[in-house]
Amino acid sequence: MSTSLLLLIIVIVGLAAYFTGRSRAVASSNGKLSVLHSLPSYHGVYVAIWAVLPAAAVLAVWLLVSPFFVESAVRASLPESVTSQGAATTELTLGQVISVAGGLKLLNDDELTAVTGGTTSLRDALAAKGVPLAGAGEAYMVASAQEYNTLTNASRWAMSAVTLVIAIAGAFYALRGIDAPFRARNRVERVMLGALILASSIAILTTVGIIGSMLSEAIRFFQSVSPSAFFFGTVWDPRFSAAGSGGTEGQFGLLPLLAGTLYIAFVAMLFAVPVGLFAAIYMAEYAKPAVRGIAKPLLEILAGIPTIVYGFFALITVGPFLRDMSAQLNGLVTGNYVNFIQAQSVLTAGIVMGIMLIPFVSSLSDDIITQVPGSLRDGSLGLGATRSETIKRVVLPAALPGIVGALLLTASRAVGETMIVVLAAGVAARMQLNPFEAMTTVTVKIVNQLTGDLEFNSPQTLVAFALGITLFAITLCLNIYALYIVRKYREQYE
């Protein structure tokens, strides 16, 4: 029985348990629902939980554990001539056996007889069914594959039987306790609380896992490269070493990448924040409902455009425009038509990234401003303030904590952008203050260092994890600072 069909049956059992439990609760009240401690629906949900959750848990554990035992049994059945060659050869052979097992399911009885009898090549028979096999195939592989299929089928039937028995048994167990005084609501809410705690734990553990994975590889990097050379180095030249040279060549200075990241993000925010914030103020305070209904969706369309499209826009439109415009201005002033703005520059990337960030600022700020209580506006207007004074002195200060959060989200989006920077700002790692020249960011270099078939055994690849943990630390500091501002102003206006 397939897993999807088994899940469907469990859901059907759960629905039947729900309606049965609900009916039993109604029957136990003798027509007076007021004597029930909990609503009949809670009784039904309680029975359904007992029918579904234990069975689903057993199913999940079985699916995780069963392949381990099946593969262990098949691995033990391999000839000694294979297992004696080491773990790598054994695992490779096991993978081929699993592939053969999948191919044997596609053969009919005559083809299977021909393969097992040796009259037909195993490789040719499987190739005819679209199953590639690396080698010619050995006779023992067919027997091991058949054993694999037998054990897998037996495991699936046993899993189906056990799961269905547990589902039905759970439903009957819960039905036994259904009566008028039974506190079904408390039991259901306890289960929901556990589900909420589990969901929160998964989110927290995922974050911890991400940090741990990056941190462990970053520590390996710092065992080869001095942290001071990384954090305070001014040259980024992580050239890959030649074979047998030890793999320690290159310079891994972070400062050029950090400077480019912050510089481009600053230019983008310098462009996006005023435009987006003014657009939000207009839509929330001045625009008519008809205009707002059209302008807000049009602004939000920008957020749905893929970043690679913005990169192409910067590469073929904005960059050449700024380059040609600078050449014309230089020609009018000096008579020498030489551009002073490069097509790939900080300014190009900042402008295009700022366009991409406008909907983040405008949409979030608009939602925050509209949530400011109308009584604050009415009180200010009633005291004689104009609309612009009310917005400046009442609405914006009251909405400031939320606006700070929106700007933080926008800044994080700018710091983590990659494709626009690659196409609009280039990949040159340098430290300079001229916004008309090219720079690059941390994210671009992370992609560069991990491009291709590489192994994590040299500083040239491990440096990507050091860069990643650095970006995480920067974002964490921004969050802490924003939280401080939010709490400070929230106490003032609540």
Side-chain angles (χ1 to χ4, degrees), residues 311-375:
F312 287 145
F313 175 64
L315 183 65
I316 66 176
T317 303
V318 178
F321 171 77
L322 294 176
R323 179 195 61 199
D324 297 340
M325 183 187 67
S326 65
Q328 293 295 328
L329 291 176
N330 197 21
L332 292 176
V333 175
T334 65
N336 186 12
Y337 289 88
V338 177
N339 63 289
F340 57 87
I341 300 179
Q342 303 296 325
Q344 288 187 323
S345 63
V346 173
L347 182 62
T348 303
I351 291 176
V352 176
M353 193 184 299
I355 295 174
M356 180 195 69
L357 297 177
I358 286 175
F360 289 90
V361 179
S362 63
S363 181
L364 294 174
S365 300
D366 174 49
D367 294 337
I368 293 163
I369 292 173
T370 54
Q371 291 176 4
V372 175
S375 58

Side-chain angles (χ1 to χ4, degrees), residues 221 238-241 247-250 252 449 458-464:
F221 168 75
R239 57 185 180 274
F240 283 85
S241 59
T248 57
E249 288 80 355
F252 302 90
Q449 297 307 115
S458 67
Q460 286 77 13
T461 51
L462 293 174
V463 68

Side-chain angles (χ1 to χ4, degrees), residues 261-477:
T261 300
L262 298 179
Y263 200 178
I264 294 175
F266 172 75
V267 174
M269 294 292 289
L270 203 62
F271 182 83
V273 171
V275 177
L277 193 56
F278 289 162
I281 293 173
Y282 170 74
M283 289 188 295
E285 300 293 332
Y286 292 100
K288 297 180 180 179
V291 176
R292 174 185 168 84
I294 297 174
K296 187 175 175 66
L298 288 179
L299 274 175
E300 292 176 348
I301 288 176
L302 293 175
I305 299 176
T307 57
I308 187 65
V309 176
Y310 282 108
F312 287 145
F313 175 64
L315 183 65
I316 66 176
T317 303
V318 178
F321 171 77
L322 294 176
R323 179 195 61 199
D324 297 340
M325 183 187 67
S326 65
Q328 293 295 328
L329 291 176
N330 197 21
L332 292 176
V333 175
T334 65
N336 186 12
Y337 289 88
V338 177
N339 63 289
F340 57 87
I341 300 179
Q342 303 296 325
Q344 288 187 323
S345 63
V346 173
L347 182 62
T348 303
I351 291 176
V352 176
M353 193 184 299
I355 295 174
M356 180 195 69
L357 297 177
I358 286 175
F360 289 90
V361 179
S362 63
S363 181
L364 294 174
S365 300
D366 174 49
D367 294 337
I368 293 163
I369 292 173
T370 54
Q371 291 176 4
V372 175
S375 58
L376 294 179
R377 298 180 178 86
D378 296 339
S380 176
L381 295 173
L383 291 174
T386 63
R387 177 176 289 186
S388 61
E389 290 174 338
T390 299
I391 294 172
K392 182 174 63 175
R393 298 183 179 275
V394 177
V395 176
L396 288 182
L400 185 59
I403 293 176
V404 170
L407 298 184
L408 173 64
L409 176 63
T410 307
S412 301
R413 185 72 177 83
V415 169
E417 178 54 41
T418 303
M419 293 309 303
I420 293 177
V421 180
V422 171
L423 297 178
V427 295
R430 62 178 70 174
M431 295 183 64
Q432 49 92 21
L433 295 177
N434 188 355
F436 304 146
E437 295 184 0
M439 293 183 74
T440 193
T441 63
V442 172
T443 55
V444 172
K445 290 306 178 182
I446 291 177
V447 174
N448 287 346
Q449 297 307 115
L450 297 181
T451 301
D453 298 330
L454 304 174
E455 296 182 359
F456 301 143
N457 56 5
S458 67
Q460 286 77 13
T461 51
L462 293 174
V463 68
F465 297 96
L467 295 174
I469 202 70
T470 303
L471 274 183
F472 173 81
I474 293 173
T475 306
L476 179 63
C477 293

Side-chain angles (χ1 to χ4, degrees), residues 8-28:
L8 179 60
I9 294 175
I10 292 175
V11 171
I12 292 174
V13 172
L15 289 175
Y18 169 80
F19 289 108
T20 305
R22 189 175 184 277
S23 300
R24 187 179 181 89
V26 173
S28 66

Side-chain angles (χ1 to χ4, degrees), residues 68-91:
F68 172 77
F69 287 102
V70 172
E71 291 177 7
S72 297
V74 174
R75 189 183 294 108
S77 68
L78 295 176
E80 186 179 354
S81 58
V82 175
T83 57
S84 61
Q85 297 181 23
T89 303
T90 303
E91 293 301 322

Side-chain angles (χ1 to χ4, degrees), residues 36-38 42-43 46 174 177-185 187:
L36 291 173
H37 174 273
S38 306
Y42 279 106
H43 291 270
Y46 171 75
I178 297 298
D179 54 18
F182 183 69
R183 299 175 179 270
R185 182 184 62 195
R187 303 291 182 88

Side-chain angles (χ1 to χ4, degrees), residues 136-151:
E138 302 292 340
Y140 70 85
M141 289 186 178
V142 178
S144 297
Q146 289 176 330
E147 181 182 3
Y148 179 86
N149 287 336
T150 301
L151 293 175

